[in-house]
Amino acid sequence: MNKLYEEIIERVDVGIHAVDEAGRTVIYNKKMREMESMEKEDVLYKDMRDVFQFQENQSSTLLHSLHEGEEVINVKQTYFNNRGVEITTVNQTFPISLDEKICAAVEIATDVTKMERLMRTKIRQVESKITFDQIIGSSQPLREVIEVARRATRTNSNVLVIGETGTGKELFAQSIHSESQRANAPFISQNCAALPDTLIEGILFGTTKGAFTGAIDSPGLFEQAHGGTLLLDELNSLNITLQAKLLRVLQEKKIRRVGGSKEIPIDVRIIATINEDPIDVIATNRLRKDLYYRLAVITVFIPPLRERIEDIEVLVRQFIAKYNHLFEMSVQTVSDEVMALFTTHPWPGNVRELEHAIEAAMNLIHHEKFIEYHHLPYQYRKAVGQQAQPTVKVLPRIETHQLTEQLAVFEKLVIEQTLVENAGHITNAAQKLGLSRQSLQYRMKRLNIKV
């Protein structure tokens, strides 16, 4: 039975930590060790006050239960392991009595460390305004679209942001708002595809008490955004009937709540986004042409990631830094092999897909400093396996026997082939050839090689 209990305690998917009457650890299961990133010998049979540290004005729920004889249920606790790493758990703690005397205490813990960090990050993001300086990348296509978007901050004209899924349309919308005269007024975002048609009209325009069963007097998003900016994300998902009502609001600058008769004046700048070519959306009757012209006073086209490959390296660094902070890791960068894959991948999910790839890879890392090929999600490794091997060029027959001329021909072929294998990315090709970027560019100029 002892063996059976031991196996159960080791295999359950919650942390179990028990101390004896002196506060020394006597049970410390596998899940608890994983949560606290510690080994048995770090904790077992030691006074837990010598191992763990607690935040100011806080104490151990386990020791509280031991000393006070009280059961503690669903209490969140933040503390630090022996290396100073912060851990947050939700605990159920209870004393164990023998002959009416408390002889031990047990804690059953659920790890919420990552959730706590994500919540803190989310709060910081909400509190801090997004600006153009936070949009990552220095490629020419991105610089051009940022310049167009910056000009939109000088006026109150409506803006249409066009870009594929994952390109960062909302970042541009928030940046336009943050650097405009409306920066101190509300910025409200609504994804038009996230709610059914029966609800979204009331959400946009508000409701009047008695309009339908359960309806109350409630302001809509237009009223809430008064004086500020309203972002209508994925506008092409809004049905045609609602698009007609939206057009009327834009023309008259007044709204009427659902079930109401009073017209309410509004002062709202509209920024709308669509994730398809507007010509295709209009042709298939999913976007009214007159609404398109009303919104597209200023049009911002965000280029997909495959058209700004040179931004991938800086994006990779940024995402690694982000998840190093969230996961408390110290990954430095990706390997040359992974970077070569990233620069040739088509990225249908754009920047969002790249971020997810980095996050997924870092979840498979233990103590390594580099993201290697085998850390990548399966779909990327599979895609590489399905790619045809690059064609090897045969050295052409040349008339001269001069060694220098033979070497020059061979050098040109090797450089051209390496550039093809790296999709014309000079930095990656230079790394592959063991050259500096400047040295490769010099050789390309000398050999008249163009990308």
Side-chain angles (χ1 to χ4, degrees):
M1 289 301 293
N2 286 340
K3 178 63 176 175
L4 180 61
Y5 288 139
E6 183 179 327
E7 284 294 319
I8 292 172
I9 288 171
E10 277 294 288
R11 292 178 182 270
V12 293
D13 197 33
V14 291
I16 299 178
H17 190 167
V19 295
D20 63 14
E21 58 186 354
R24 293 187 297 264
T25 298
V26 291
I27 297 175
Y28 190 63
N29 78 336
K30 179 181 178 182
K31 184 64 177 180
M32 203 73 186
R33 297 194 297 272
E34 291 174 353
M35 288 162 49
E36 297 177 340
S37 301
M38 299 174 74
E39 302 297 332
K40 271 187 177 181
E41 54 268 23
D42 296 328
V43 183
L44 210 55
Y45 309 121
K46 294 182 180 179
D47 190 320
M48 65 171 295
R49 287 162 290 201
D50 297 332
V51 179
F52 300 99
Q53 295 181 339
F54 294 84
Q55 292 182 325
E56 190 175 353
N57 301 323
Q58 286 195 18
S59 58
S60 165
T61 51
L62 191 55
L63 292 179
H64 174 84
S65 187
L66 177 70
H67 296 148
E68 303 299 328
E70 296 177 352
E71 183 174 355
V72 179
I73 299 176
N74 293 335
V75 170
K76 187 173 76 170
Q77 178 174 250
T78 298
Y79 56 101
F80 303 87
N81 69 9
N82 60 351
R83 296 191 302 279
V85 175
E86 184 180 280
I87 302 153
T88 303
T89 56
V90 174
N91 304 329
Q92 179 181 356
T93 314
F94 50 91
I96 303 294
S97 298
L98 182 65
D99 299 329
E100 298 184 353
K101 180 182 177 183
I102 296 174
C103 62
V106 178
E107 186 159 86
I108 300 173
T110 302
D111 187 16
V112 294
T113 305
K114 288 184 179 179
M115 185 184 300
E116 187 77 3
R117 290 179 193 146
L118 287 170
M119 288 300 295
R120 290 179 194 167
T121 303
K122 185 70 173 175
I123 290 170
R124 284 197 295 271
Q125 288 175 345
V126 170
E127 290 176 347
S128 61
K129 291 182 177 179
I130 301 295
T131 65
F132 290 110
D133 293 336
Q134 293 168 266
I135 296 175
I136 304 163
S138 59
S139 64
Q140 184 64 26
L142 187 65
R143 288 201 303 268
E144 289 176 359
V145 74
I146 289 176
E147 179 59 28
V148 171
R150 279 189 188 278
R151 294 175 186 174
T153 64
R154 300 176 300 179
T155 69
N156 288 316
S157 299
N158 296 326
V159 181
L160 182 64
V161 183
I162 302 169
E164 296 178 5
T165 299
T167 50
K169 296 185 291 295
E170 186 164 348
L171 288 179
F172 275 85
Q174 290 188 47
S175 299
I176 292 170
H177 170 78
S178 297
E179 297 192 12
S180 73
Q181 295 178 345
R182 296 174 178 262
N184 295 322
F187 175 85
I188 294 179
S189 173
Q190 176 60 53
N191 188 315
C192 298
L195 294 169
D197 296 339
T198 53
L199 294 179
I200 197 164
E201 183 175 1
I203 288 171
L204 287 176
F205 307 126
T207 56
T208 301
K209 186 176 181 179
F212 51 85
T213 304
I216 60 172
D217 285 322
S218 175
L221 296 182
F222 274 94
E223 289 180 73
Q224 294 174 42
H226 184 73
T229 304
L230 175 60
L231 171 63
L232 298 177
D233 197 16
E234 296 189 48
L235 180 72
N236 46 309
S237 299
L238 198 65
N239 75 37
I240 292 295
T241 303
L242 279 175
Q243 287 184 29
K245 294 182 179 180
L246 177 60
L247 178 63
R248 185 182 66 82
V249 170
L250 296 179
Q251 290 171 336
E252 300 179 5
K253 299 190 182 303
K254 294 177 183 178
I255 61 103
R256 185 183 298 163
R257 292 184 182 180
V258 176
S261 57
K262 178 183 176 183
E263 291 196 327
I264 304 169
I266 48 104
D267 172 25
V268 176
R269 183 184 200 177
I270 301 296
I271 301 179
T273 75
I274 59 175
N275 54 16
E276 300 177 66
D277 188 320
I279 295 175
D280 294 338
V281 181
I282 292 170
T284 52
N285 296 318
R286 288 177 291 131
L287 179 64
R288 290 177 60 108
K289 186 183 293 187
D290 47 4
L291 178 60
Y292 167 74
Y293 288 125
R294 175 67 65 171
L295 289 172
V297 178
I298 301 171
T299 306
V300 177
F301 287 90
I302 304 178
L305 186 56
R306 62 183 173 274
E307 293 180 8
R308 51 186 186 101
I309 295 298
E310 53 267 50
D311 288 336
I312 288 179
E313 193 169 342
V314 66
L315 285 165
V316 166
R317 288 200 303 269
Q318 181 72 17
F319 294 143
I320 288 176
K322 174 182 176 178
Y323 289 104
N324 272 337
H325 174 73
L326 287 177
F327 299 161
E328 295 190 349
M329 300 172 74
S330 56
V331 175
Q332 294 177 4
T333 185
V334 299
S335 68
D336 291 343
E337 183 182 21
V338 171
M339 184 58 75
L341 169 62
F342 281 178
T343 55
T344 56
H345 185 67
W347 298 111
N350 293 290
V351 177
R352 187 181 300 147
E353 182 188 352
L354 175 60
E355 180 176 359
H356 290 171
I358 295 294
E359 180 183 5
M362 290 181 67
N363 270 280
L364 297 180
I365 286 180
H366 293 289
H367 304 291
E368 300 95 328
K369 297 297 182 184
F370 297 89
I371 295 177
E372 301 287 352
Y373 174 77
H374 62 272
H375 294 132
L376 296 177
Y378 172 71
Q379 64 267 29
Y380 300 101
R381 292 182 278 114
K382 179 183 177 183
V384 170
Q386 291 175 343
Q387 288 177 355
Q389 294 298 315
T391 303
V392 178
K393 292 185 179 180
V394 179
L395 185 65
R397 181 179 180 85
I398 56 177
E399 298 303 324
T400 181
H401 293 287
Q402 292 292 319
L403 179 60
T404 53
E405 294 180 21
Q406 295 265 10
L407 290 174
V409 172
F410 183 69
E411 181 182 13
K412 184 175 183 179
L413 284 172
V414 170
I415 291 174
E416 286 177 337
Q417 183 172 335
T418 306
L419 285 167
V420 169
E421 291 171 358
N422 289 274
H425 196 288
I426 293 176
T427 300
N428 290 344
Q431 290 176 347
K432 201 77 172 177
L433 292 166
L435 301 172
S436 68
R437 180 184 173 91
Q438 292 78 5
S439 177
L440 177 56
Q441 287 176 318
Y442 165 76
R443 292 167 187 266
M444 289 170 62
K445 186 175 180 181
R446 174 169 57 83
L447 297 167
N448 194 28
I449 297 173
K450 300 185 183 302
V451 179

PDB file of all heavy atoms in Angstrom, residues 329-350:
ATOM      1  N   MET A 329      13.366  32.545 -19.399  1.00  0.00           N
ATOM      2  CA  MET A 329      14.377  31.792 -20.119  1.00  0.00           C
ATOM      3  C   MET A 329      15.462  32.747 -20.592  1.00  0.00           C
ATOM      4  O   MET A 329      15.368  33.965 -20.372  1.00  0.00           O
ATOM      5  CB  MET A 329      13.742  31.050 -21.299  1.00  0.00           C
ATOM      6  CG  MET A 329      12.668  30.050 -20.890  1.00  0.00           C
ATOM      7  SD  MET A 329      11.754  29.342 -22.289  1.00  0.00           S
ATOM      8  CE  MET A 329      12.990  28.235 -22.949  1.00  0.00           C
ATOM      9  N   SER A 330      16.503  32.205 -21.195  1.00  0.00           N
ATOM     10  CA  SER A 330      17.604  33.041 -21.674  1.00  0.00           C
ATOM     11  C   SER A 330      18.059  32.586 -23.063  1.00  0.00           C
ATOM     12  O   SER A 330      19.246  32.448 -23.331  1.00  0.00           O
ATOM     13  CB  SER A 330      18.774  32.993 -20.691  1.00  0.00           C
ATOM     14  OG  SER A 330      19.184  31.654 -20.470  1.00  0.00           O
ATOM     15  N   VAL A 331      17.083  32.336 -23.937  1.00  0.00           N
ATOM     16  CA  VAL A 331      17.391  31.972 -25.324  1.00  0.00           C
ATOM     17  C   VAL A 331      17.993  33.185 -26.017  1.00  0.00           C
ATOM     18  O   VAL A 331      17.520  34.311 -25.849  1.00  0.00           O
ATOM     19  CB  VAL A 331      16.123  31.502 -26.053  1.00  0.00           C
ATOM     20  CG1 VAL A 331      16.406  31.231 -27.531  1.00  0.00           C
ATOM     21  CG2 VAL A 331      15.559  30.257 -25.383  1.00  0.00           C
ATOM     22  N   GLN A 332      19.035  32.972 -26.804  1.00  0.00           N
ATOM     23  CA  GLN A 332      19.732  34.089 -27.442  1.00  0.00           C
ATOM     24  C   GLN A 332      19.202  34.390 -28.833  1.00  0.00           C
ATOM     25  O   GLN A 332      18.894  35.531 -29.167  1.00  0.00           O
ATOM     26  CB  GLN A 332      21.231  33.793 -27.507  1.00  0.00           C
ATOM     27  CG  GLN A 332      21.883  33.738 -26.135  1.00  0.00           C
ATOM     28  CD  GLN A 332      23.348  33.361 -26.205  1.00  0.00           C
ATOM     29  OE1 GLN A 332      23.914  33.209 -27.288  1.00  0.00           O
ATOM     30  NE2 GLN A 332      23.966  33.181 -25.055  1.00  0.00           N
ATOM     31  N   THR A 333      19.086  33.367 -29.677  1.00  0.00           N
ATOM     32  CA  THR A 333      18.631  33.597 -31.050  1.00  0.00           C
ATOM     33  C   THR A 333      18.254  32.258 -31.669  1.00  0.00           C
ATOM     34  O   THR A 333      18.143  31.254 -30.967  1.00  0.00           O
ATOM     35  CB  THR A 333      19.740  34.305 -31.874  1.00  0.00           C
ATOM     36  OG1 THR A 333      19.224  34.617 -33.164  1.00  0.00           O
ATOM     37  CG2 THR A 333      20.974  33.431 -32.023  1.00  0.00           C
ATOM     38  N   VAL A 334      18.069  32.257 -32.993  1.00  0.00           N
ATOM     39  CA  VAL A 334      17.792  31.016 -33.718  1.00  0.00           C
ATOM     40  C   VAL A 334      19.056  30.597 -34.472  1.00  0.00           C
ATOM     41  O   VAL A 334      19.924  31.421 -34.758  1.00  0.00           O
ATOM     42  CB  VAL A 334      16.619  31.177 -34.709  1.00  0.00           C
ATOM     43  CG1 VAL A 334      15.348  31.560 -33.986  1.00  0.00           C
ATOM     44  CG2 VAL A 334      16.946  32.207 -35.787  1.00  0.00           C
ATOM     45  N   SER A 335      19.154  29.331 -34.786  1.00  0.00           N
ATOM     46  CA  SER A 335      20.301  28.837 -35.536  1.00  0.00           C
ATOM     47  C   SER A 335      20.247  29.338 -36.977  1.00  0.00           C
ATOM     48  O   SER A 335      19.209  29.800 -37.457  1.00  0.00           O
ATOM     49  CB  SER A 335      20.326  27.306 -35.525  1.00  0.00           C
ATOM     50  OG  SER A 335      19.234  26.793 -36.277  1.00  0.00           O
ATOM     51  N   ASP A 336      21.377  29.229 -37.681  1.00  0.00           N
ATOM     52  CA  ASP A 336      21.418  29.635 -39.088  1.00  0.00           C
ATOM     53  C   ASP A 336      20.423  28.837 -39.917  1.00  0.00           C
ATOM     54  O   ASP A 336      19.795  29.363 -40.846  1.00  0.00           O
ATOM     55  CB  ASP A 336      22.835  29.435 -39.644  1.00  0.00           C
ATOM     56  CG  ASP A 336      23.827  30.405 -39.042  1.00  0.00           C
ATOM     57  OD1 ASP A 336      23.379  31.419 -38.455  1.00  0.00           O
ATOM     58  OD2 ASP A 336      25.044  30.169 -39.153  1.00  0.00           O
ATOM     59  N   GLU A 337      20.294  27.547 -39.607  1.00  0.00           N
ATOM     60  CA  GLU A 337      19.371  26.678 -40.342  1.00  0.00           C
ATOM     61  C   GLU A 337      17.929  27.163 -40.175  1.00  0.00           C
ATOM     62  O   GLU A 337      17.163  27.215 -41.140  1.00  0.00           O
ATOM     63  CB  GLU A 337      19.505  25.244 -39.833  1.00  0.00           C
ATOM     64  CG  GLU A 337      18.648  24.237 -40.584  1.00  0.00           C
ATOM     65  CD  GLU A 337      18.770  22.838 -40.006  1.00  0.00           C
ATOM     66  OE1 GLU A 337      19.180  22.703 -38.826  1.00  0.00           O
ATOM     67  OE2 GLU A 337      18.454  21.883 -40.732  1.00  0.00           O
ATOM     68  N   VAL A 338      17.557  27.536 -38.950  1.00  0.00           N
ATOM     69  CA  VAL A 338      16.200  28.012 -38.686  1.00  0.00           C
ATOM     70  C   VAL A 338      15.968  29.357 -39.369  1.00  0.00           C
ATOM     71  O   VAL A 338      14.911  29.589 -39.969  1.00  0.00           O
ATOM     72  CB  VAL A 338      15.952  28.115 -37.168  1.00  0.00           C
ATOM     73  CG1 VAL A 338      14.628  28.816 -36.878  1.00  0.00           C
ATOM     74  CG2 VAL A 338      15.955  26.724 -36.539  1.00  0.00           C
ATOM     75  N   MET A 339      16.962  30.251 -39.308  1.00  0.00           N
ATOM     76  CA  MET A 339      16.802  31.555 -39.955  1.00  0.00           C
ATOM     77  C   MET A 339      16.644  31.400 -41.466  1.00  0.00           C
ATOM     78  O   MET A 339      15.850  32.107 -42.099  1.00  0.00           O
ATOM     79  CB  MET A 339      17.983  32.461 -39.627  1.00  0.00           C
ATOM     80  CG  MET A 339      17.849  33.881 -40.176  1.00  0.00           C
ATOM     81  SD  MET A 339      16.359  34.742 -39.579  1.00  0.00           S
ATOM     82  CE  MET A 339      16.866  35.116 -37.902  1.00  0.00           C
ATOM     83  N   ALA A 340      17.403  30.463 -42.052  1.00  0.00           N
ATOM     84  CA  ALA A 340      17.269  30.215 -43.493  1.00  0.00           C
ATOM     85  C   ALA A 340      15.862  29.728 -43.822  1.00  0.00           C
ATOM     86  O   ALA A 340      15.273  30.119 -44.836  1.00  0.00           O
ATOM     87  CB  ALA A 340      18.314  29.194 -43.946  1.00  0.00           C
ATOM     88  N   LEU A 341      15.307  28.872 -42.958  1.00  0.00           N
ATOM     89  CA  LEU A 341      13.934  28.394 -43.157  1.00  0.00           C
ATOM     90  C   LEU A 341      12.946  29.549 -43.041  1.00  0.00           C
ATOM     91  O   LEU A 341      12.027  29.699 -43.863  1.00  0.00           O
ATOM     92  CB  LEU A 341      13.611  27.314 -42.125  1.00  0.00           C
ATOM     93  CG  LEU A 341      12.131  26.894 -42.012  1.00  0.00           C
ATOM     94  CD1 LEU A 341      11.645  26.311 -43.324  1.00  0.00           C
ATOM     95  CD2 LEU A 341      11.948  25.903 -40.876  1.00  0.00           C
ATOM     96  N   PHE A 342      13.135  30.386 -42.026  1.00  0.00           N
ATOM     97  CA  PHE A 342      12.219  31.503 -41.808  1.00  0.00           C
ATOM     98  C   PHE A 342      12.199  32.469 -42.995  1.00  0.00           C
ATOM     99  O   PHE A 342      11.165  33.025 -43.328  1.00  0.00           O
ATOM    100  CB  PHE A 342      12.611  32.261 -40.540  1.00  0.00           C
ATOM    101  CG  PHE A 342      12.165  31.595 -39.261  1.00  0.00           C
ATOM    102  CD1 PHE A 342      12.481  32.151 -38.020  1.00  0.00           C
ATOM    103  CD2 PHE A 342      11.441  30.422 -39.280  1.00  0.00           C
ATOM    104  CE1 PHE A 342      12.067  31.553 -36.847  1.00  0.00           C
ATOM    105  CE2 PHE A 342      11.021  29.801 -38.101  1.00  0.00           C
ATOM    106  CZ  PHE A 342      11.335  30.370 -36.888  1.00  0.00           C
ATOM    107  N   THR A 343      13.358  32.675 -43.616  1.00  0.00           N
ATOM    108  CA  THR A 343      13.410  33.646 -44.717  1.00  0.00           C
ATOM    109  C   THR A 343      12.873  33.092 -46.030  1.00  0.00           C
ATOM    110  O   THR A 343      12.659  33.858 -46.970  1.00  0.00           O
ATOM    111  CB  THR A 343      14.857  34.132 -44.933  1.00  0.00           C
ATOM    112  OG1 THR A 343      15.718  33.005 -45.131  1.00  0.00           O
ATOM    113  CG2 THR A 343      15.341  34.944 -43.742  1.00  0.00           C
ATOM    114  N   THR A 344      12.639  31.797 -46.101  1.00  0.00           N
ATOM    115  CA  THR A 344      12.070  31.202 -47.320  1.00  0.00           C
ATOM    116  C   THR A 344      10.623  30.751 -47.126  1.00  0.00           C
ATOM    117  O   THR A 344       9.940  30.452 -48.094  1.00  0.00           O
ATOM    118  CB  THR A 344      12.905  29.996 -47.784  1.00  0.00           C
ATOM    119  OG1 THR A 344      13.008  29.044 -46.708  1.00  0.00           O
ATOM    120  CG2 THR A 344      14.304  30.430 -48.189  1.00  0.00           C
ATOM    121  N   HIS A 345      10.144  30.719 -45.893  1.00  0.00           N
ATOM    122  CA  HIS A 345       8.765  30.309 -45.616  1.00  0.00           C
ATOM    123  C   HIS A 345       7.794  31.389 -46.101  1.00  0.00           C
ATOM    124  O   HIS A 345       8.061  32.577 -45.940  1.00  0.00           O
ATOM    125  CB  HIS A 345       8.599  30.072 -44.112  1.00  0.00           C
ATOM    126  CG  HIS A 345       7.252  29.542 -43.731  1.00  0.00           C
ATOM    127  ND1 HIS A 345       6.818  28.286 -44.086  1.00  0.00           N
ATOM    128  CD2 HIS A 345       6.224  30.111 -43.042  1.00  0.00           C
ATOM    129  CE1 HIS A 345       5.595  28.088 -43.620  1.00  0.00           C
ATOM    130  NE2 HIS A 345       5.208  29.185 -42.987  1.00  0.00           N
ATOM    131  N   PRO A 346       6.637  31.030 -46.678  1.00  0.00           N
ATOM    132  CA  PRO A 346       5.703  32.043 -47.210  1.00  0.00           C
ATOM    133  C   PRO A 346       4.916  32.799 -46.145  1.00  0.00           C
ATOM    134  O   PRO A 346       4.310  33.822 -46.439  1.00  0.00           O
ATOM    135  CB  PRO A 346       4.770  31.225 -48.099  1.00  0.00           C
ATOM    136  CG  PRO A 346       4.825  29.828 -47.540  1.00  0.00           C
ATOM    137  CD  PRO A 346       6.231  29.651 -47.049  1.00  0.00           C
ATOM    138  N   TRP A 347       4.843  32.318 -44.917  1.00  0.00           N
ATOM    139  CA  TRP A 347       4.165  32.971 -43.791  1.00  0.00           C
ATOM    140  C   TRP A 347       2.734  33.400 -44.141  1.00  0.00           C
ATOM    141  O   TRP A 347       2.421  34.601 -44.143  1.00  0.00           O
ATOM    142  CB  TRP A 347       4.967  34.176 -43.291  1.00  0.00           C
ATOM    143  CG  TRP A 347       6.320  33.813 -42.772  1.00  0.00           C
ATOM    144  CD1 TRP A 347       7.518  34.119 -43.330  1.00  0.00           C
ATOM    145  CD2 TRP A 347       6.605  33.031 -41.601  1.00  0.00           C
ATOM    146  NE1 TRP A 347       8.539  33.586 -42.592  1.00  0.00           N
ATOM    147  CE2 TRP A 347       8.007  32.910 -41.518  1.00  0.00           C
ATOM    148  CE3 TRP A 347       5.829  32.427 -40.620  1.00  0.00           C
ATOM    149  CZ2 TRP A 347       8.645  32.210 -40.504  1.00  0.00           C
ATOM    150  CZ3 TRP A 347       6.459  31.720 -39.600  1.00  0.00           C
ATOM    151  CH2 TRP A 347       7.838  31.614 -39.548  1.00  0.00           C
ATOM    152  N   PRO A 348       1.853  32.443 -44.416  1.00  0.00           N
ATOM    153  CA  PRO A 348       0.454  32.820 -44.689  1.00  0.00           C
ATOM    154  C   PRO A 348      -0.217  33.503 -43.502  1.00  0.00           C
ATOM    155  O   PRO A 348      -1.159  34.267 -43.681  1.00  0.00           O
ATOM    156  CB  PRO A 348      -0.218  31.476 -45.025  1.00  0.00           C
ATOM    157  CG  PRO A 348       0.685  30.433 -44.409  1.00  0.00           C
ATOM    158  CD  PRO A 348       2.069  30.994 -44.498  1.00  0.00           C
ATOM    159  N   GLY A 349       0.261  33.215 -42.289  1.00  0.00           N
ATOM    160  CA  GLY A 349      -0.292  33.871 -41.100  1.00  0.00           C
ATOM    161  C   GLY A 349       0.465  35.113 -40.693  1.00  0.00           C
ATOM    162  O   GLY A 349       0.162  35.717 -39.659  1.00  0.00           O
ATOM    163  N   ASN A 350       1.474  35.488 -41.489  1.00  0.00           N
ATOM    164  CA  ASN A 350       2.223  36.728 -41.318  1.00  0.00           C
ATOM    165  C   ASN A 350       2.910  36.837 -39.960  1.00  0.00           C
ATOM    166  O   ASN A 350       3.383  35.831 -39.440  1.00  0.00           O
ATOM    167  CB  ASN A 350       1.304  37.913 -41.600  1.00  0.00           C
ATOM    168  CG  ASN A 350       0.915  37.953 -43.069  1.00  0.00           C
ATOM    169  OD1 ASN A 350       1.743  38.234 -43.919  1.00  0.00           O
ATOM    170  ND2 ASN A 350      -0.337  37.633 -43.375  1.00  0.00           N
TER     171      ASN A 350
END
